[in-house]
Amino acid sequence: MNIVIMLILISLLVLVHELGHYLAARAFGIQVSHFGLGLPIGPILYETKCGDTKITVHAFLLGGYVSFPDDDEENEDTKDLPPDSPKRFKNKKPWQKAVVVSAGVFANVVFALFLVMFCAAYYHKLPSSKYDVYIKDFAPEVKSNIADSGLKPGDKIVSVNGSNIINSYQFIFLVQKSKFFDGLVSSDIFENKLSELKKLNPNIQDKIKTGEKIKLPQMTPEAQVKVSNNVLIGIEKYETDEIELTKEQKALSTLLDGKKEFTADKEYNLNDVAYALSDSYKPLSITVLRDGKQLAFDNLKTSKDGLLGVKLEANEIFIPVNNPLEVITHSWDYLVVNTKLMLLGLWQLVSGKIPLSDMHGIVAITKVGGDIIENYGMLKGFLLSAIISIDLAIINLLPIPALDGGHLMFLALEKVVGRELDEKIVEGVSRVFFTLLILLMIYVVFNDIFALVTKQL
């Protein structure tokens, strides 16, 4: 049922977008020959006529379109319309065309603001996207040094490795990246371990022969994991310049763990031993708030399984909304913050910092949206819809032919060259990009289905 609610909300966003185009066109006296809700794929659920506009509801609801007489010269209702008729889109002034083209984007933005303001007024609060994260308890079965660190249940986690923590995911992320034997080592530590090995074993050259005994240097910690805020909030992929160990080197790390000497059971390369010894643990520094004071705890280590042994409790922080002015200001601030995050995420995707394989679409959004409504209620469902509405506006503004931004780009080019562009060229370019967008949509849907099947969502 929650998935159905999410589908209805997304379809409503598409309807709002197309209504924006429709109302703007009618305001300028442009005839709208066809108003479609859904993509023209598969059966038609409903069809009627409203004045000179045919209204069609398609079975594939997640889409929509508005067409003008210029788009379909064979339409029985519009084919007799004179070429110079003021009811035709192409006969309008450039600024009027631009308003009609951008009206869908404008409608999505206004509707997003309306949704957030409704939530603020009805629920008297808005989420801040931040959580107070507390240590609830420890897991004694986990063999880490957390229980002896001085941390206590009830401590509020302020930061980890210098990064402010605003949700449980960020804490868990940094712990997982700091685990024992993660198979990643820095070149500096490798060089140090290789030098130590050679000093302890001056008779060893590049190879350690079978049965030969060598002395091993002590395990030393690696550098702390430091990440940007973009990585922590999930809009940038975590990257490191560390060297990844081979399968054999990883196995050797476990074999050498805790030993001061090692008798080779086969021939080993000295470099491999140095790499294996370089892989240890990345210490954690956790700052907590206790009784109004900040306390720092350093050199915390995970277990050999990569667990810290901390049970967390997270309480969401809401912004109270008490009067009409706060409804407006807090709603606006909420949308501005989330729009900036979406723009930043889009840039990370375009620049390749987030792989295309991490891109998801309507199937994943519907599934995640349904889960959010089930677990957190309609407040979060409406707010997610508002964010999707802004996302639709941003995507449609991209200067890509076949999108609203592409039409605006062509209008701008017409203004620059001082004449209308060749209609056949524009149609050809738009058709190519429309095909590419369909292929991209198919790829994204495949990503969504794969993520669902493999339970990544």
Side-chain angles (χ1 to χ4, degrees), residues 35-56:
F35 184 100
L37 180 60
L39 294 178
I41 302 172
I44 294 173
L45 298 180
Y46 177 76
E47 194 166 66
T48 188
K49 193 105 181 261
C50 181
D52 52 13
T53 303
K54 181 189 291 185
I55 300 174
T56 305

PDB file of all heavy atoms in Angstrom, residues 35-56:
ATOM      1  N   PHE A  35      -2.912  16.559 -24.042  1.00  0.00           N
ATOM      2  CA  PHE A  35      -2.377  16.560 -22.680  1.00  0.00           C
ATOM      3  C   PHE A  35      -2.356  15.104 -22.231  1.00  0.00           C
ATOM      4  O   PHE A  35      -3.399  14.456 -22.096  1.00  0.00           O
ATOM      5  CB  PHE A  35      -3.258  17.385 -21.743  1.00  0.00           C
ATOM      6  CG  PHE A  35      -2.716  17.524 -20.343  1.00  0.00           C
ATOM      7  CD1 PHE A  35      -2.052  18.668 -19.943  1.00  0.00           C
ATOM      8  CD2 PHE A  35      -2.866  16.498 -19.423  1.00  0.00           C
ATOM      9  CE1 PHE A  35      -1.553  18.803 -18.660  1.00  0.00           C
ATOM     10  CE2 PHE A  35      -2.371  16.611 -18.135  1.00  0.00           C
ATOM     11  CZ  PHE A  35      -1.707  17.759 -17.750  1.00  0.00           C
ATOM     12  N   GLY A  36      -1.144  14.575 -21.998  1.00  0.00           N
ATOM     13  CA  GLY A  36      -1.018  13.158 -21.639  1.00  0.00           C
ATOM     14  C   GLY A  36      -0.394  12.961 -20.272  1.00  0.00           C
ATOM     15  O   GLY A  36       0.631  13.568 -19.958  1.00  0.00           O
ATOM     16  N   LEU A  37      -1.015  12.128 -19.463  1.00  0.00           N
ATOM     17  CA  LEU A  37      -0.437  11.719 -18.189  1.00  0.00           C
ATOM     18  C   LEU A  37       0.063  10.292 -18.352  1.00  0.00           C
ATOM     19  O   LEU A  37      -0.704   9.390 -18.677  1.00  0.00           O
ATOM     20  CB  LEU A  37      -1.469  11.791 -17.062  1.00  0.00           C
ATOM     21  CG  LEU A  37      -0.970  11.370 -15.676  1.00  0.00           C
ATOM     22  CD1 LEU A  37       0.187  12.253 -15.214  1.00  0.00           C
ATOM     23  CD2 LEU A  37      -2.099  11.405 -14.658  1.00  0.00           C
ATOM     24  N   GLY A  38       1.372  10.097 -18.144  1.00  0.00           N
ATOM     25  CA  GLY A  38       1.994   8.806 -18.394  1.00  0.00           C
ATOM     26  C   GLY A  38       2.719   8.825 -19.728  1.00  0.00           C
ATOM     27  O   GLY A  38       2.581   9.763 -20.520  1.00  0.00           O
ATOM     28  N   LEU A  39       3.486   7.786 -19.975  1.00  0.00           N
ATOM     29  CA  LEU A  39       4.197   7.673 -21.246  1.00  0.00           C
ATOM     30  C   LEU A  39       3.345   6.907 -22.244  1.00  0.00           C
ATOM     31  O   LEU A  39       2.651   5.954 -21.871  1.00  0.00           O
ATOM     32  CB  LEU A  39       5.537   6.960 -21.028  1.00  0.00           C
ATOM     33  CG  LEU A  39       6.559   7.715 -20.170  1.00  0.00           C
ATOM     34  CD1 LEU A  39       7.819   6.876 -19.996  1.00  0.00           C
ATOM     35  CD2 LEU A  39       6.900   9.068 -20.770  1.00  0.00           C
ATOM     36  N   PRO A  40       3.380   7.314 -23.522  1.00  0.00           N
ATOM     37  CA  PRO A  40       2.538   6.652 -24.531  1.00  0.00           C
ATOM     38  C   PRO A  40       3.041   5.250 -24.859  1.00  0.00           C
ATOM     39  O   PRO A  40       3.419   4.936 -25.991  1.00  0.00           O
ATOM     40  CB  PRO A  40       2.645   7.602 -25.725  1.00  0.00           C
ATOM     41  CG  PRO A  40       3.949   8.287 -25.553  1.00  0.00           C
ATOM     42  CD  PRO A  40       4.154   8.438 -24.081  1.00  0.00           C
ATOM     43  N   ILE A  41       3.060   4.417 -23.820  1.00  0.00           N
ATOM     44  CA  ILE A  41       3.504   3.014 -23.953  1.00  0.00           C
ATOM     45  C   ILE A  41       2.409   2.125 -23.392  1.00  0.00           C
ATOM     46  O   ILE A  41       1.929   2.358 -22.280  1.00  0.00           O
ATOM     47  CB  ILE A  41       4.818   2.774 -23.176  1.00  0.00           C
ATOM     48  CG1 ILE A  41       5.921   3.702 -23.674  1.00  0.00           C
ATOM     49  CG2 ILE A  41       5.254   1.314 -23.284  1.00  0.00           C
ATOM     50  CD1 ILE A  41       7.183   3.655 -22.834  1.00  0.00           C
ATOM     51  N   GLY A  42       1.999   1.123 -24.158  1.00  0.00           N
ATOM     52  CA  GLY A  42       0.990   0.206 -23.652  1.00  0.00           C
ATOM     53  C   GLY A  42      -0.418   0.753 -23.779  1.00  0.00           C
ATOM     54  O   GLY A  42      -0.674   1.725 -24.508  1.00  0.00           O
ATOM     55  N   PRO A  43      -1.355   0.167 -23.030  1.00  0.00           N
ATOM     56  CA  PRO A  43      -2.769   0.529 -23.177  1.00  0.00           C
ATOM     57  C   PRO A  43      -3.106   1.907 -22.610  1.00  0.00           C
ATOM     58  O   PRO A  43      -2.380   2.445 -21.780  1.00  0.00           O
ATOM     59  CB  PRO A  43      -3.497  -0.567 -22.380  1.00  0.00           C
ATOM     60  CG  PRO A  43      -2.486  -1.026 -21.371  1.00  0.00           C
ATOM     61  CD  PRO A  43      -1.159  -0.920 -22.061  1.00  0.00           C
ATOM     62  N   ILE A  44      -4.232   2.448 -23.086  1.00  0.00           N
ATOM     63  CA  ILE A  44      -4.760   3.723 -22.592  1.00  0.00           C
ATOM     64  C   ILE A  44      -5.821   3.434 -21.541  1.00  0.00           C
ATOM     65  O   ILE A  44      -6.772   2.676 -21.782  1.00  0.00           O
ATOM     66  CB  ILE A  44      -5.350   4.553 -23.744  1.00  0.00           C
ATOM     67  CG1 ILE A  44      -4.230   4.985 -24.710  1.00  0.00           C
ATOM     68  CG2 ILE A  44      -6.093   5.771 -23.219  1.00  0.00           C
ATOM     69  CD1 ILE A  44      -4.737   5.675 -25.959  1.00  0.00           C
ATOM     70  N   LEU A  45      -5.671   4.033 -20.375  1.00  0.00           N
ATOM     71  CA  LEU A  45      -6.622   3.801 -19.289  1.00  0.00           C
ATOM     72  C   LEU A  45      -7.872   4.672 -19.433  1.00  0.00           C
ATOM     73  O   LEU A  45      -8.979   4.247 -19.087  1.00  0.00           O
ATOM     74  CB  LEU A  45      -5.957   4.085 -17.934  1.00  0.00           C
ATOM     75  CG  LEU A  45      -4.746   3.214 -17.553  1.00  0.00           C
ATOM     76  CD1 LEU A  45      -4.219   3.626 -16.186  1.00  0.00           C
ATOM     77  CD2 LEU A  45      -5.143   1.736 -17.534  1.00  0.00           C
ATOM     78  N   TYR A  46      -7.656   5.888 -19.910  1.00  0.00           N
ATOM     79  CA  TYR A  46      -8.784   6.824 -19.990  1.00  0.00           C
ATOM     80  C   TYR A  46      -8.469   7.885 -21.040  1.00  0.00           C
ATOM     81  O   TYR A  46      -7.328   8.316 -21.175  1.00  0.00           O
ATOM     82  CB  TYR A  46      -8.999   7.494 -18.621  1.00  0.00           C
ATOM     83  CG  TYR A  46     -10.090   8.528 -18.598  1.00  0.00           C
ATOM     84  CD1 TYR A  46     -11.434   8.163 -18.586  1.00  0.00           C
ATOM     85  CD2 TYR A  46      -9.775   9.892 -18.591  1.00  0.00           C
ATOM     86  CE1 TYR A  46     -12.436   9.130 -18.554  1.00  0.00           C
ATOM     87  CE2 TYR A  46     -10.775  10.862 -18.564  1.00  0.00           C
ATOM     88  CZ  TYR A  46     -12.102  10.473 -18.549  1.00  0.00           C
ATOM     89  OH  TYR A  46     -13.088  11.420 -18.534  1.00  0.00           O
ATOM     90  N   GLU A  47      -9.520   8.283 -21.771  1.00  0.00           N
ATOM     91  CA  GLU A  47      -9.330   9.321 -22.781  1.00  0.00           C
ATOM     92  C   GLU A  47     -10.602  10.144 -22.908  1.00  0.00           C
ATOM     93  O   GLU A  47     -11.715   9.592 -22.905  1.00  0.00           O
ATOM     94  CB  GLU A  47      -8.958   8.707 -24.132  1.00  0.00           C
ATOM     95  CG  GLU A  47      -8.414   9.722 -25.136  1.00  0.00           C
ATOM     96  CD  GLU A  47      -7.740   9.036 -26.318  1.00  0.00           C
ATOM     97  OE1 GLU A  47      -8.476   8.363 -27.083  1.00  0.00           O
ATOM     98  OE2 GLU A  47      -6.506   9.152 -26.461  1.00  0.00           O
ATOM     99  N   THR A  48     -10.439  11.450 -22.977  1.00  0.00           N
ATOM    100  CA  THR A  48     -11.590  12.331 -23.117  1.00  0.00           C
ATOM    101  C   THR A  48     -11.168  13.597 -23.847  1.00  0.00           C
ATOM    102  O   THR A  48      -9.988  13.744 -24.205  1.00  0.00           O
ATOM    103  CB  THR A  48     -12.188  12.688 -21.736  1.00  0.00           C
ATOM    104  OG1 THR A  48     -13.415  13.399 -21.929  1.00  0.00           O
ATOM    105  CG2 THR A  48     -11.222  13.540 -20.927  1.00  0.00           C
ATOM    106  N   LYS A  49     -12.095  14.514 -24.013  1.00  0.00           N
ATOM    107  CA  LYS A  49     -11.812  15.766 -24.705  1.00  0.00           C
ATOM    108  C   LYS A  49     -12.289  16.918 -23.828  1.00  0.00           C
ATOM    109  O   LYS A  49     -13.392  16.886 -23.286  1.00  0.00           O
ATOM    110  CB  LYS A  49     -12.531  15.784 -26.051  1.00  0.00           C
ATOM    111  CG  LYS A  49     -12.058  16.882 -26.983  1.00  0.00           C
ATOM    112  CD  LYS A  49     -11.185  16.306 -28.070  1.00  0.00           C
ATOM    113  CE  LYS A  49     -10.698  17.446 -28.974  1.00  0.00           C
ATOM    114  NZ  LYS A  49     -11.479  17.576 -30.206  1.00  0.00           N
ATOM    115  N   CYS A  50     -11.448  17.916 -23.676  1.00  0.00           N
ATOM    116  CA  CYS A  50     -11.796  19.108 -22.918  1.00  0.00           C
ATOM    117  C   CYS A  50     -11.558  20.308 -23.827  1.00  0.00           C
ATOM    118  O   CYS A  50     -10.412  20.716 -24.042  1.00  0.00           O
ATOM    119  CB  CYS A  50     -10.965  19.206 -21.647  1.00  0.00           C
ATOM    120  SG  CYS A  50     -11.354  20.655 -20.630  1.00  0.00           S
ATOM    121  N   GLY A  51     -12.622  20.829 -24.384  1.00  0.00           N
ATOM    122  CA  GLY A  51     -12.471  21.900 -25.370  1.00  0.00           C
ATOM    123  C   GLY A  51     -11.756  21.376 -26.600  1.00  0.00           C
ATOM    124  O   GLY A  51     -12.190  20.400 -27.205  1.00  0.00           O
ATOM    125  N   ASP A  52     -10.650  22.019 -26.981  1.00  0.00           N
ATOM    126  CA  ASP A  52      -9.888  21.564 -28.149  1.00  0.00           C
ATOM    127  C   ASP A  52      -8.675  20.724 -27.744  1.00  0.00           C
ATOM    128  O   ASP A  52      -7.758  20.526 -28.548  1.00  0.00           O
ATOM    129  CB  ASP A  52      -9.455  22.760 -29.003  1.00  0.00           C
ATOM    130  CG  ASP A  52      -8.737  23.828 -28.175  1.00  0.00           C
ATOM    131  OD1 ASP A  52      -8.367  23.524 -27.017  1.00  0.00           O
ATOM    132  OD2 ASP A  52      -8.548  24.950 -28.685  1.00  0.00           O
ATOM    133  N   THR A  53      -8.663  20.238 -26.507  1.00  0.00           N
ATOM    134  CA  THR A  53      -7.530  19.452 -26.010  1.00  0.00           C
ATOM    135  C   THR A  53      -7.953  18.015 -25.714  1.00  0.00           C
ATOM    136  O   THR A  53      -8.920  17.791 -24.978  1.00  0.00           O
ATOM    137  CB  THR A  53      -6.940  20.066 -24.726  1.00  0.00           C
ATOM    138  OG1 THR A  53      -6.553  21.413 -24.976  1.00  0.00           O
ATOM    139  CG2 THR A  53      -5.741  19.266 -24.240  1.00  0.00           C
ATOM    140  N   LYS A  54      -7.240  17.074 -26.319  1.00  0.00           N
ATOM    141  CA  LYS A  54      -7.476  15.662 -26.007  1.00  0.00           C
ATOM    142  C   LYS A  54      -6.677  15.308 -24.747  1.00  0.00           C
ATOM    143  O   LYS A  54      -5.488  15.604 -24.658  1.00  0.00           O
ATOM    144  CB  LYS A  54      -7.023  14.770 -27.162  1.00  0.00           C
ATOM    145  CG  LYS A  54      -7.259  13.268 -26.914  1.00  0.00           C
ATOM    146  CD  LYS A  54      -6.602  12.405 -27.975  1.00  0.00           C
ATOM    147  CE  LYS A  54      -7.297  12.568 -29.316  1.00  0.00           C
ATOM    148  NZ  LYS A  54      -6.723  11.633 -30.321  1.00  0.00           N
ATOM    149  N   ILE A  55      -7.329  14.680 -23.780  1.00  0.00           N
ATOM    150  CA  ILE A  55      -6.689  14.282 -22.523  1.00  0.00           C
ATOM    151  C   ILE A  55      -6.596  12.770 -22.477  1.00  0.00           C
ATOM    152  O   ILE A  55      -7.601  12.073 -22.626  1.00  0.00           O
ATOM    153  CB  ILE A  55      -7.472  14.814 -21.305  1.00  0.00           C
ATOM    154  CG1 ILE A  55      -7.531  16.345 -21.346  1.00  0.00           C
ATOM    155  CG2 ILE A  55      -6.829  14.335 -19.998  1.00  0.00           C
ATOM    156  CD1 ILE A  55      -8.403  16.947 -20.279  1.00  0.00           C
ATOM    157  N   THR A  56      -5.392  12.260 -22.276  1.00  0.00           N
ATOM    158  CA  THR A  56      -5.156  10.818 -22.275  1.00  0.00           C
ATOM    159  C   THR A  56      -4.398  10.413 -21.014  1.00  0.00           C
ATOM    160  O   THR A  56      -3.426  11.069 -20.636  1.00  0.00           O
ATOM    161  CB  THR A  56      -4.325  10.397 -23.512  1.00  0.00           C
ATOM    162  OG1 THR A  56      -4.977  10.842 -24.692  1.00  0.00           O
ATOM    163  CG2 THR A  56      -4.155   8.882 -23.551  1.00  0.00           C
TER     164      THR A  56
END
